[in-house]
Amino acid sequence: MLDPAILFSSVLNGLTTGAVYALIALGLTLIYGVLHIINFAHGAALMVALYAVYLLKERLGIDPYAALPLVVAGMFALGYALQRFVINRASHGKDENILLVTLGLAIVLENLALVWFKSDTRTIDTAYTLSTVEIGPAMIALPKVIAFCGALAVAAVLFWIIRSTDLGRAIRAVAKEKQGARLMGIDVEKVYALSFGIGMACLGAAACFLLPAYYVNPQVGGGFVLVAFTIVVLGGMGSFAGALAGGLLIGVVESIGGLFLGDSLGQMGIFAIFIAVLLFRPQGLFGARS
């Protein structure tokens, strides 16, 4: 039989990974919930954020966690500018055009990264990269524990913004009824840009939590965004609670799957659950029936 201590350690590792997955998926679900589009540039934007953290550490010596305000602010500004001046103008108000524009942005960003950084995989070294924390019978890497706590803290701040601020109320109004919000004096285009910026800011936070224990290369965003899409559909399209719960669930399933099947097959469990949800609850775990 499997040692319970090993299983406990696997679950904890899955939760730490799942919290970062959830943070990435929260950005994606916010963009979908407000703009009602799938952002195909999400993975490429995560790659940009990871390179930003890498350059701040290697060139300026700024610790990834200390870089959090800089990277989050930079990604917010990038997302706001892209939506306001590129996606909005190039799409001409058509959803299918928005999908093509975000796909084009992803291709451009990934190829620019290939030009500037080549295809090399890069990592950073910190004093705590190999440090561990003892939690019961398990030893968990310190960067993973920090990532878990940090991701949940950022998610809590996002929930507070959406539920308790004027901006959050404007975002919910636009997501619910765009024309009605416009008639009430809300600048819909500005809310779109702010929502896109906040979604990208979530990626900046995720990059700061990831890189101390992860790596970056021009293709790194692809794997994360595939999992993020799965989480968004699993939790329910546009559901913040669903994205958070789905991310934690996916992290645990991936970790336990890797324990039994090996790292190369560990993600099979993710897509098995995904298919089961589509078959038996197509609106997602937290989604409402249309």
Side-chain angles (χ1 to χ4, degrees):
M1 293 181 65
L2 186 65
D3 189 338
I6 296 176
L7 184 60
F8 178 70
S9 178
S10 180
V11 170
L12 285 184
N13 273 293
L15 288 173
T16 58
T17 302
V20 179
Y21 283 162
L23 187 54
I24 297 170
L26 279 171
L28 190 63
T29 203
L30 175 63
I31 292 171
Y32 174 82
V34 178
L35 280 73
H36 302 293
I37 60 156
I38 299 297
N39 177 23
F40 286 116
H42 209 65
L46 175 62
M47 175 268 298
V48 170
L50 285 166
Y51 271 118
V53 178
Y54 171 82
L55 290 174
L56 287 172
K57 178 65 172 69
E58 293 300 304
R59 302 288 174 85
L60 301 177
I62 300 177
D63 185 86
Y65 303 135
L68 182 65
L70 294 174
V71 178
V72 168
M75 290 302 294
F76 173 83
L78 176 63
Y80 184 95
L82 283 177
Q83 203 288 325
R84 190 81 167 182
F85 304 113
V86 178
I87 297 174
N88 188 49
R89 294 187 179 183
S91 65
H92 302 293
K94 296 182 179 179
D95 289 349
E96 59 271 25
N97 290 353
I98 295 176
L99 297 178
L100 292 174
V101 172
T102 59
L103 181 60
L105 282 172
I107 295 171
V108 169
L109 291 174
E110 288 177 2
N111 281 277
L112 285 175
L114 280 170
V115 171
W116 289 334
F117 301 103
K118 311 305 179 188
S119 59
D120 301 334
T121 294
R122 300 164 191 254
T123 59
I124 60 173
D125 292 319
T126 65
Y128 49 81
T129 297
L130 300 179
S131 300
T132 57
V133 175
E134 185 175 355
I135 303 176
M139 298 296 291
I140 307 298
L142 178 59
K144 288 193 170 186
V145 175
I146 295 174
F148 176 78
C149 297
L152 292 185
V154 173
V157 171
L158 180 60
F159 288 158
W160 174 78
I161 290 173
I162 296 299
R163 291 293 174 188
S164 304
T165 67
D166 290 339
L167 172 60
R169 284 185 278 272
I171 287 174
R172 285 185 283 125
V174 171
K176 187 75 173 178
E177 176 51 60
K178 178 178 67 174
Q179 296 302 329
R182 197 188 302 275
L183 291 173
M184 295 302 295
I186 296 174
D187 187 341
V188 172
E189 283 67 31
K190 184 177 181 179
V191 170
Y192 279 171
L194 288 170
S195 301
F196 203 91
I198 294 172
M200 296 277 273
C202 290
L203 295 180
C208 292
F209 297 136
L210 272 173
L211 200 55
Y214 207 67
Y215 63 86
V216 59
N217 62 36
Q219 290 80 35
V220 70
F224 282 101
V225 79
L226 180 61
V227 173
F229 280 133
T230 303
I231 291 169
V232 170
V233 177
L234 176 64
M237 300 292 281
S239 169
F240 293 101
L244 182 58
L248 295 174
L249 175 62
I250 288 298
V252 171
V253 169
E254 181 183 35
S255 182
I256 294 177
L259 184 65
F260 285 99
L261 303 175
D263 290 339
S264 60
L265 298 177
Q267 289 193 336
M268 286 180 61
I270 295 176
F271 299 106
I273 290 178
F274 179 62
I275 292 171
V277 169
L278 288 179
L279 288 174
F280 300 108
R281 190 174 172 82
Q283 72 270 28
L285 298 178
F286 287 78
R289 290 187 180 275
S290 57

